[in-house]
Amino acid sequence: MNKIVREHYPVANLPEDLREGLAADATVRIVVEVEDAAIQNGIGRYPGFKDFPMVERKPMSIADTLEAIRKYKAEGRPSVSVEEAVSRIRELRDEWDD
């Protein structure tokens, strides 16, 4: 990915839409990055998600996963039976049929 960085760039030199809310005599740091064309077009690793920023993340460790599960359970969210879940879904679906 190509990147251009300009330190202490005058706000007065920015396009009008980028100057909004900034003092005319201020300076800013500008970072311009060229996105991968395949991702922009929704091709490649993330097809269909061209409007979403992609963040590369490493897999969670076992300890992190277990901690996340512990925190989730500690929140006390009630579990739902299959029958209750199906009933809720049917109720929502039937709202649209009227």
Side-chain angles (χ1 to χ4, degrees):
M1 187 177 295
N2 295 329
K3 184 191 284 191
I4 300 169
V5 179
R6 296 288 185 261
E7 301 285 345
H8 312 292
Y9 193 83
V11 168
N13 292 353
L14 292 173
E16 185 177 334
D17 62 326
L18 296 178
R19 287 190 303 242
E20 190 173 315
L22 301 172
D25 60 341
T27 60
V28 293
R29 179 175 187 254
I30 302 292
V31 178
V32 178
E33 293 182 90
V34 177
E35 294 181 341
D36 180 30
I39 292 175
Q40 283 181 337
N41 297 325
I43 303 168
R45 293 181 45 200
Y46 307 104
F49 291 95
K50 67 180 181 181
D51 296 331
F52 297 97
M54 298 298 142
V55 177
E56 293 293 328
R57 294 189 297 176
K58 295 180 181 177
M60 292 174 67
S61 69
I62 293 174
D64 290 341
T65 303
L66 293 175
E67 179 62 17
I69 291 169
R70 187 198 62 73
K71 285 181 182 179
Y72 179 80
K73 287 182 177 180
E75 291 177 3
R77 293 190 172 133
S79 60
V80 178
S81 69
V82 172
E83 293 81 15
E84 185 178 353
V86 169
S87 172
R88 289 181 185 179
I89 292 168
R90 286 185 176 151
E91 190 177 313
L92 290 170
R93 181 195 63 206
D94 293 343
E95 286 180 12
W96 291 97
D97 289 340
D98 292 337

